[in-house]
Amino acid sequence: MMLRSLIGFVLVMAASVTAAEEETIVAHVFDSNINRIPVQTVAPKYPRKARRDRIEGKVEVCFEVDRKGRPRRIAVRNSTARTFERPSIKAVRDSSFKALEDDEKLPSIKSCRTFIFSLEPVEEVDVK
Amino acid sequence: MKHLLLFSITLVAAMQVYADDEADSKTVLGPSNVYLYDGANALKAGDAESGVALTLKGLELAQGLREEKIGHANLCAGFVLLGKAETALEHCNWVLEQDPYHWRTYNNRAIAYLRLGRFEESEADIRKGQELNPRSEHLKEVKGMYLDEVEPVDEKITIDDQRSGPRSPPEKPE
């Protein structure tokens, strides 16, 4: 069990994270007890108007993953600002997980992914 | 960037003049000052050079304060588009001396100040404009431009995966 979760973690680390825009910093926090292994994790695009108006927020999206690794029944569970909901749903829809082997049982438990949209001050660099 | 600036600029359209509004007449007389009208359209289309040239002609032929105000307000916008912020300021100031409630000119002057690095004055104009028209998308755009200059930020998105299920009870305070 321990070995399996360790393998899962290593695979997750190797999975690609796709940022919507090059200038967006994307951090992926993994929870080793996630029930499916992400293959492609798509980061949502920061909504332009939210960035303009300096709005930050958090959206929790829950979904099931089918045998082929595609997210299904995607729904917002918690959200602090509606503006982030659509890009978060799209990011989950465009993501994929490792398909199950024929002998593996499809877990009934849902997966949830939380997207935290934040804006960080640009650090000034002193040039001497 | 030019597209964003064009969106942020607001123009006073010198469009059709309706005859006898009070009598609810629908007779359209057409633009009262063709140069101002064409100038406004050129500026709206992003052709700042033609827009400014036509508006300057229109201003020469302006009849009454209303047309003069339209001319100066659009020149303020046009010179901002041309990157001539100092000249834009002269026209913006003229409009605001005549009409201190002209939110569009506060919007455009805020951009001119921004271009000149006069951030405090830019912020003051954005604030005044938003007092007059709190829901203006143009002013929100300009405020965003102002914030990008004085408080630049990087977007960060953190993705946190977890399994759904019963949540653990909150920790009891000791």
Side-chain angles (χ1 to χ4, degrees), chain A residues 27 29 48 77 113-114 120, chain B residues 141 154 159-161 167:
Chain A
V29 180
R48 200 188 71 78
R77 190 198 234 184
R113 181 167 277 179
T114 302
E120 296 189 340
Chain B
E141 287 294 336
D154 279 331
I159 303 168
D160 186 358
D161 280 339
R167 310 224 163 179

Side-chain angles (χ1 to χ4, degrees), chain A residues 24-29 31 33 44 48 51-52 54 60 77 109-110 112-114 116 118 120 122, chain B residues 4 137 140-141 143-144 147-148 151-165 167:
Chain A
T24 306
I25 303 163
V26 179
H28 198 162
V29 180
D31 188 339
N33 71 355
R48 200 188 71 78
R51 186 190 189 285
R52 178 196 73 183
R54 299 299 194 266
E60 186 185 11
R77 190 198 234 184
I109 202 156
K110 277 193 171 187
C112 292
R113 181 167 277 179
T114 302
I116 302 163
S118 55
E120 296 189 340
V122 175
Chain B
L4 191 62
E137 279 296 310
K140 285 180 186 172
E141 287 294 336
K143 187 167 185 188
L147 288 172
D148 283 343
E151 295 167 24
V153 286
D154 279 331
E155 298 167 5
K156 185 180 175 188
I157 292 169
T158 306
I159 303 168
D160 186 358
D161 280 339
Q162 68 261 248
R163 180 186 281 194
S164 171
R167 310 224 163 179

Side-chain angles (χ1 to χ4, degrees), chain A residues 5 17 23 39 57 64 70-71 77 95 97 110 114-115 128:
Chain A
S5 99
V17 177
E23 61 203 52
V39 173
E64 292 172 2
R70 293 174 302 207
R77 190 198 234 184
S95 298
F97 294 79
K110 277 193 171 187
T114 302
F115 297 100
K128 288 184 180 176

Side-chain angles (χ1 to χ4, degrees), chain B residues 33-37 52-63 67-68 71:
Chain B
N33 184 322
V34 175
Y35 290 114
L36 283 184
Y37 177 82
V52 165
L54 287 163
T55 308
L56 282 168
K57 266 188 184 175
L59 197 54
E60 282 174 21
L61 304 170
Q63 291 181 348
E67 283 191 5
E68 279 186 73

Side-chain angles (χ1 to χ4, degrees), chain A residues 84-119:
Chain A
F84 298 119
E85 292 180 12
R86 195 184 286 217
S88 300
I89 289 171
K90 187 179 183 312
V92 169
R93 195 188 300 128
D94 294 343
S95 298
S96 61
F97 294 79
K98 190 169 181 281
L100 292 178
E101 301 292 337
D102 289 343
D103 58 342
E104 280 183 291
K105 197 181 163 195
L106 186 68
S108 57
I109 202 156
K110 277 193 171 187
S111 292
C112 292
R113 181 167 277 179
T114 302
F115 297 100
I116 302 163
F117 297 78
S118 55
L119 296 166

